[in-house]
Amino acid sequence: MTATVFSGVQPTGNLHLGNYLGAIRNWVKMQDDYDCIYGIVDMHAITLFQQPAELRAHIREVAAAVIACGVDPQRAILFNQSQVSGHAELAWIFNCVARMGWLSRMTQFKDKAGKHRERASVGLFVYPNLMAADILLYKGTHVPVGEDQKQHLELARDIAQKFNVDYEVDFFPLPEPLILGEATRVMSLKDGGKKMSKSDPAEASRINLADGPDDIARKIRKARTDAEPLPGDPKGLADRAEARNLVGIYAALSDLTVADVCARFDGAQFSSFKQALTDLAVEKLGPISAEFARLRADPGHVESILNRGAEAARQRAEPVLRQVKEIVGFLQA
Ligand code: AQP
């Protein structure tokens, strides 16, 4: 059986270095070994309100950024979730399979809803059911997951299993997590305790994939650090979140370990380390931002790629959804 990977990114803003190192870079690598389906998941994005004009722009821009990073629409399916109605249809069926108690335990809902649980959208609460539908609509077998998505993938497995048991079928696979090397969690350049995020209002907290060399240099120069020189041993970074973050970014961009980077910059001041990091980031991200600018200038081309992707995704989803409806007992034309 071919291993099918599903992964998604929310069009909630422009992609940044964290999305690249934590996710999209792996999407590019996985194209060589798996049957890959990648979604720009706008239905997930609207679980928190999005301005319609911004959402539309972000869908095109995130698609352009993903392609600029090296995802090849000839080898992987790249599509926009809301254009394939099967996601919503299967999610509804999963709303009826998943249990309230399971969803109530999801820590991401608790984090995102915060103290205003009663005012959170119902969509935010059932978000993991839609994620299960995203994967299982294609009988996805593998999902690359960071720490924050592990619980949601467990839930997708629980849903697949309960569906199979309730309807006495062996229909859905139980999707497995795909761990691709050491996970890179990139933190905000302004606060080493917060992850780098598209929706952080502080622009200087992240390096966007659209940033040119000057923006990259300025943001790294102004990144928060401490007064100590860099340690020769990673243990010396234990209580230094901001320093650890910059060293981690250097390691991820250069494919070195954190220990290698510490050894190389043992005793260096931040002024010289930041210059080395800037040079590296400009070297690695320059070609991406140039390709991104080219694609951004041609939104019609990006939309045609997404349209073709949606057509391919619908073709994959259609027989699965028909069988699900048959199993559940829906009448079909
Ligand atoms: N800072 C990060 N470090 C490593 N990986 C990250 N990812 C996001 N931020 C970091 C990974 O990128 C993929 C796509 O993320 P997403 O858009 O679906 O949602 P997110 O995790 O909520 O991303 P953001 O940028 O923080 O967006 P907002 O601000 O809208 O919440 C995921 O695989 C994610 O792990």
Side-chain angles (χ1 to χ4, degrees):
M1 190 181 66
T2 3
T4 300
V5 163
F6 183 92
S7 192
V9 58
Q10 298 186 69
T12 42
N14 285 325
L15 292 195
H16 51 74
L17 184 65
N19 298 128
Y20 177 62
L21 293 177
I24 312 299
R25 188 164 77 149
N26 289 333
W27 288 16
V28 177
K29 289 187 195 143
M30 286 182 302
Q31 297 178 119
D32 296 330
D33 303 315
Y34 299 91
D35 164 30
C36 295
I37 304 176
Y38 298 136
I40 313 294
V41 291
D42 50 351
M43 289 160 63
H44 285 279
I46 63 164
T47 56
L48 299 175
F49 183 77
Q50 307 294 318
Q51 290 294 343
E54 284 179 11
L55 179 63
R56 240 187 307 276
H58 287 148
I59 294 167
R60 292 190 193 101
E61 287 183 359
V62 167
V66 166
I67 300 166
C69 288
V71 167
D72 176 0
Q74 306 290 341
R75 284 196 291 157
I77 295 180
L78 177 68
F79 77 109
N80 177 206
Q81 184 188 32
S82 63
Q83 291 182 31
V84 181
S85 59
H87 289 259
E89 294 181 71
L90 187 58
W92 178 259
I93 293 171
F94 287 170
N95 284 344
C96 304
V97 173
R99 305 289 94 183
M100 289 290 288
W102 299 356
L103 290 159
S104 305
R105 285 191 284 276
M106 295 295 115
T107 52
Q108 195 176 81
F109 175 76
K110 291 182 200 162
D111 292 346
K112 289 204 172 177
K115 291 191 205 93
H116 308 293
R117 201 185 143 91
E118 297 300 314
R119 276 190 269 153
S121 73
V122 176
L124 190 66
F125 186 67
V126 294
Y127 178 117
N129 295 348
L130 178 58
M131 179 172 148
D134 296 339
I135 303 162
L136 294 169
L137 187 58
Y138 307 97
K139 292 198 167 181
T141 54
H142 292 80
V143 181
V145 278
E147 220 27 71
D148 51 346
Q149 290 298 327
K150 273 194 184 147
Q151 205 187 18
H152 288 167
L153 184 62
E154 270 306 313
L155 191 105
R157 290 169 60 87
D158 290 343
I159 289 174
Q161 182 150 32
K162 186 165 176 5
F163 181 94
N164 289 346
V165 169
D166 286 354
Y167 291 102
E168 299 179 11
V169 287
D170 181 16
F171 186 72
F172 284 123
L174 304 191
E176 305 275 345
L178 203 57
I179 314 285
L180 294 147
E182 201 181 319
T184 310
R185 189 170 166 80
V186 182
M187 309 310 279
S188 156
L189 298 180
K190 290 288 163 199
D191 176 353
K194 264 177 35 184
K195 78 165 187 159
M196 188 177 280
S197 185
K198 298 184 211 91
S199 51
D200 189 325
E203 180 62 25
S205 68
R206 64 181 163 267
I207 293 175
N208 295 311
L209 295 185
D211 286 345
D214 293 347
D215 296 315
I216 294 175
R218 183 173 35 81
K219 288 177 181 178
I220 293 179
R221 202 167 51 242
K222 294 198 163 168
R224 193 200 278 186
T225 46
D226 53 46
E228 300 298 311
L230 285 169
D233 187 309
K235 287 194 195 101
L237 293 169
D239 299 320
R240 301 172 64 188
E242 282 82 15
R244 194 167 60 241
N245 187 35
L246 295 186
V247 171
I249 293 173
Y250 191 102
L253 283 173
S254 58
D255 278 320
L256 292 171
T257 63
V258 168
D260 290 336
V261 179
C262 286
R264 184 180 292 183
F265 291 96
D266 185 8
Q269 297 297 326
F270 273 107
S271 50
S272 62
F273 177 69
K274 281 181 165 181
Q275 187 54 54
L277 180 58
T278 301
D279 293 345
L280 178 66
V282 167
E283 178 199 323
K284 298 287 179 181
L285 301 180
I288 294 176
S289 74
E291 180 62 5
F292 182 33
R294 199 183 65 75
L295 289 163
R296 227 176 173 184
D298 191 357
H301 175 60
V302 173
E303 270 187 45
S304 70
I305 290 175
L306 288 178
N307 290 341
R308 280 200 298 277
E311 188 49 45
R314 275 193 291 270
Q315 275 180 24
R316 292 281 296 266
E318 211 261 339
V320 179
L321 198 59
R322 275 195 83 76
Q323 289 174 72
V324 169
K325 289 179 179 175
E326 186 64 33
I327 290 168
V328 170
F330 292 170
L331 284 184
Q332 296 185 81

